[in-house]
Amino acid sequence: MDPETVMEAARAAASRAYAPYSNFHVGAAILTGGGTIHSGSNVENASYGLSICAERNAAAAMASADPEDRGIELVAVFSPNAAPCFPCGACRQVLREFGCKEVVVQEGGRLGHYAFDQILPNSFGPENL
Ligand code: ZN
């Protein structure tokens, strides 16, 4: 699938962010090995620490959708507030859990492509247990 199609889902998710405190809107879209797109937006909470990032919400949507299709080919992340917008450290670890291979971000008018090992080198995952 064209990464631009996945990024378009991330843009749409960002428009649905619940971010009344930071006003920092983020959308993420995951493309699975089976070719399905799952998206999520950031959801903040009045007790700030309970806020959840777009990437983790997208991963949760994927994980709870189809147990046979939990491998992440790529994740696209978009924010109208920051370009590029990369996943935070916590989200990188959650994406790692599902074997994320590539991260795609908006860089001006083009998409930037990053191998997952580039943004979380020497990572710890399920095979290390
Ligand atoms: Zn995050």
Side-chain angles (χ1 to χ4, degrees):
M1 184 179 297
D2 179 9
E4 176 56 35
T5 301
V6 186
M7 180 57 82
E8 191 51 46
R11 290 189 196 103
S15 74
R16 299 188 296 270
Y18 177 72
Y21 308 110
S22 72
N23 208 29
F24 193 89
H25 295 219
V26 183
I30 286 170
L31 175 65
T32 67
T36 300
I37 295 175
H38 299 278
S39 63
S41 59
N42 56 327
V43 178
E44 294 183 347
N45 190 278
S47 66
Y48 294 173
L50 293 178
S51 299
I52 306 176
C53 299
E55 298 92 323
R56 274 178 283 161
N57 279 332
M62 176 202 71
S64 58
D66 180 357
E68 302 302 317
D69 189 25
R70 288 178 172 154
I72 301 176
E73 287 297 309
L74 71 86
V75 59
V77 184
F78 177 81
S79 172
N81 304 101
C85 182
F86 285 95
C88 76
C91 287
R92 292 177 194 207
Q93 185 63 42
V94 170
L95 294 166
R96 168 67 173 84
E97 179 74 17
F98 299 105
C100 186
K101 295 177 182 169
E102 184 180 5
V103 175
V104 176
V105 294
Q106 189 76 48
E107 294 180 339
R110 57 180 280 281
L111 299 183
H113 296 259
Y114 296 84
F116 196 78
D117 285 349
Q118 255 183 296
I119 69 159
L120 192 64
N122 305 314
S123 63
F124 183 85
E127 69 277 10
N128 299 118
L129 293 175

